[in-house]
Amino acid sequence: MMDKYGQALINNASKLDAVTDACGEITKLATMIVEDNSKVATIALLRKISETVDNPKHKIDAKKAAQVVNSSLIEFYGYSTIQGICKPTDEANEDTRTLQDLLDELNALVGLEKVKNKVQDLIVYQKVQKMRREKNLHSAKNTLHLAFTGNPGTGKTTVARIVGQIYKRIGLLSKGHFVEVSRTDLIAGYQGQTALKVKKVIEQAKGGVLFIDEAYSITENDHSDSYGRECLTELTKALEDYRDDLVVIVAGYTEPMNKFFESNPGLKSRFNTFIEFDDYNSTELDNILLSMCKNNDYVLDDEAKEKIHLYFEQQTTSKDENFANGRLVRNLYDDLVMDHARRVINVSNPDCVELSTIKAEDFTFSLDKTENG
């Protein structure tokens, strides 16, 4: 929750914005300072304050407003510093989102309807089992471990993070923190060391979520078969030993994940819930791009939207098993912003609209392009 000093800084920055016609830039800097403790934004805001005070074209009202923002900035940092001294770091970094906040965040994700429904069912089931245990009624000894399957860029990591915090809120995990690992974090180069590596990772993840992406890579290297088996033995043991305060989520492409579990029945038996993440359709890709633009103060004009929608339609129609989903959108967004910058740099004194509007001419992807990455 934002403290009164942070709120005062943003409010006073907004007033300075208004009297200097700064197009919301000063408020944005103040918000970055309050929300992210951004040093870059702090330096930029101090520069704005100095420019306003020193520039003879600004009236006395603007200069006074700048001085008030300066005082607010000093008060905000003074309060933040004292808070940091008085509060332990862990408490300061603690996730304060409520269960409803987390559910709203999950539901706000574009698409993924099957995933959302499955997670909702999971929460309801686990909450009721917990209540049954508290009343000394029989409850199923199902594990909390999950398997996420699907192509890259479909939100598996994002959902895994949210699930960890949801499990904490309903009392199933003591911490709810998130530890992400890959094959190299689990397998060592010498016999016997792999077990130690896995134990160390499990120790870090206890009380939270251990997320293993491309889990099948643990055993897919022929030259390190014995190390892979050593890793799986240790992992399977941990799944059972710490089932009451550890969630392991394994993720990866659907087919390799299916083969991975078929060849490891002891591991598969520890996972009760399998969730398939579908690819996004063209409309969902549109919505992801629009959301990214909105979050970064860009808008697409109608002609750009139309061209991009056609591009997404073509990409979803001609996709193969390496279809990149959200990564495709991220790559396109980065290109749009770069091409927009190349165009706008040649405009003399561009206004807010020009600085924020991406036009069809900024879309340089060929409509017959088949690359997804």
Side-chain angles (χ1 to χ4, degrees):
M1 197 170 82
M2 194 183 301
D3 61 73
K4 65 176 182 178
Y5 297 99
Q7 192 63 63
L9 176 58
I10 291 171
N11 290 345
N12 290 327
S14 177
K15 289 170 189 169
L16 181 57
D17 248 329
V19 294
T20 57
D21 294 323
C23 213
E25 190 181 349
I26 295 170
T27 308
K28 190 166 184 179
L29 290 172
T31 304
M32 287 167 70
I33 292 165
V34 172
E35 291 183 354
D36 306 320
N37 272 330
S38 169
K39 289 180 182 176
V40 174
T42 303
I43 292 164
L45 181 58
L46 286 167
R47 198 171 286 134
K48 287 279 180 194
I49 292 166
S50 182
E51 284 169 8
T52 307
V53 172
D54 296 340
N55 194 329
K57 79 168 189 177
H58 285 305
K59 295 179 180 176
I60 193 73
D61 286 354
K63 294 177 191 293
K64 280 183 178 174
Q67 286 163 346
V68 170
V69 172
N70 193 52
S71 298
S72 293
L73 186 61
I74 292 166
E75 286 176 353
F76 168 74
Y77 270 117
Y79 176 76
S80 299
T81 304
I82 291 167
Q83 285 288 95
I85 292 166
C86 297
K87 277 190 176 180
T89 309
D90 288 350
E91 192 181 333
N93 292 336
E94 193 173 337
D95 194 322
T96 56
R97 288 172 296 175
T98 64
L99 178 59
Q100 192 54 52
D101 289 338
L102 292 160
L103 292 172
D104 290 345
E105 201 172 310
L106 179 69
N107 289 323
L109 296 175
V110 173
L112 305 176
E113 294 313 314
K114 277 198 323 193
V115 175
K116 291 172 189 174
N117 291 337
K118 195 94 186 218
V119 171
Q120 293 276 12
D121 286 348
L122 206 57
I123 294 162
V124 168
Y125 176 79
Q126 294 295 356
K127 281 174 89 170
V128 170
Q129 293 307 309
K130 185 170 181 286
M131 287 190 281
R132 285 173 60 86
R133 282 193 294 276
E134 286 164 359
K135 302 288 185 191
N136 293 320
L137 293 169
H138 174 78
S139 68
K141 291 289 180 189
N142 287 352
T143 63
L144 303 172
H145 312 307
L146 309 166
F148 289 174
T149 58
N151 283 330
T154 45
K156 294 189 288 292
T157 309
T158 304
V159 172
R161 286 179 184 276
I162 295 172
V163 165
Q165 287 299 326
I166 285 173
Y167 276 0
K168 184 192 175 186
R169 296 297 174 276
I170 61 178
L172 296 172
L173 289 173
S174 59
K175 296 179 186 171
H177 65 295
F178 188 84
V179 176
E180 182 174 357
V181 296
S182 60
R183 185 182 188 283
T184 51
D185 300 302
L186 297 168
I187 293 182
Y190 302 98
Q191 199 73 37
Q193 281 191 329
T194 291
L196 293 174
K197 266 189 127 173
V198 175
K199 280 175 182 168
K200 188 178 175 185
V201 166
I202 295 294
E203 204 56 44
Q204 279 179 303
K206 272 199 304 193
V209 172
L210 176 62
F211 183 75
I212 308 173
D213 203 9
E214 297 187 350
Y216 37 77
S217 65
I218 292 170
T219 53
E220 72 183 3
N221 189 331
D222 293 336
H223 300 296
S224 60
D225 236 359
S226 60
Y227 303 146
R229 282 197 297 274
E230 188 184 347
C231 174
L232 286 181
T233 300
E234 204 57 48
L235 197 57
T236 305
K237 184 175 181 298
L239 289 170
E240 199 58 44
D241 291 351
Y242 305 113
R243 60 189 285 169
D244 293 332
D245 198 22
L246 173 70
V247 172
V248 175
I249 300 179
V250 291
Y253 290 97
T254 305
E255 275 314 302
M257 284 296 283
N258 289 342
K259 287 176 185 168
F260 172 68
F261 276 119
E262 280 166 21
S263 62
N264 299 287
L267 188 67
K268 185 178 183 180
S269 67
R270 267 75 178 180
F271 288 83
N272 290 121
T273 306
F274 291 73
I275 300 181
E276 174 75 22
F277 284 64
D278 291 332
D279 286 335
Y280 292 113
N281 61 37
S282 56
T283 303
E284 288 166 345
L285 294 175
D286 284 339
N287 290 335
I288 293 169
L289 179 62
L290 290 171
S291 175
M292 288 173 75
C293 287
K294 184 181 176 185
N295 291 340
N296 292 283
D297 292 334
Y298 285 100
V299 291
L300 301 175
D301 73 8
D302 288 343
E303 195 183 343
K305 284 180 188 172
E306 197 173 324
K307 278 182 81 172
I308 290 166
H309 180 70
L310 286 172
Y311 171 71
F312 283 150
E313 277 195 337
Q314 185 199 65
Q315 292 293 300
T316 52
T317 304
S318 62
K319 69 184 177 185
D320 58 19
E321 70 276 6
N322 296 314
F323 183 62
N325 288 287
R327 293 176 200 175
L328 169 70
V329 182
R330 164 53 69 184
N331 292 343
L332 176 60
Y333 170 80
D334 289 342
D335 285 341
L336 288 170
V337 168
M338 192 68 247
D339 288 325
H340 167 268
R342 289 192 190 106
R343 175 175 59 80
V344 172
I345 198 65
N346 296 312
V347 177
S348 177
N349 294 321
D351 60 15
C352 271
V353 173
E354 287 166 315
L355 286 167
S356 59
T357 303
I358 292 171
K359 297 183 176 180
E361 62 198 274
D362 301 323
F363 176 70
T364 55
F365 276 57
S366 158
L367 280 178
D368 60 359
K369 189 171 179 180
T370 55
E371 183 189 340
N372 286 318

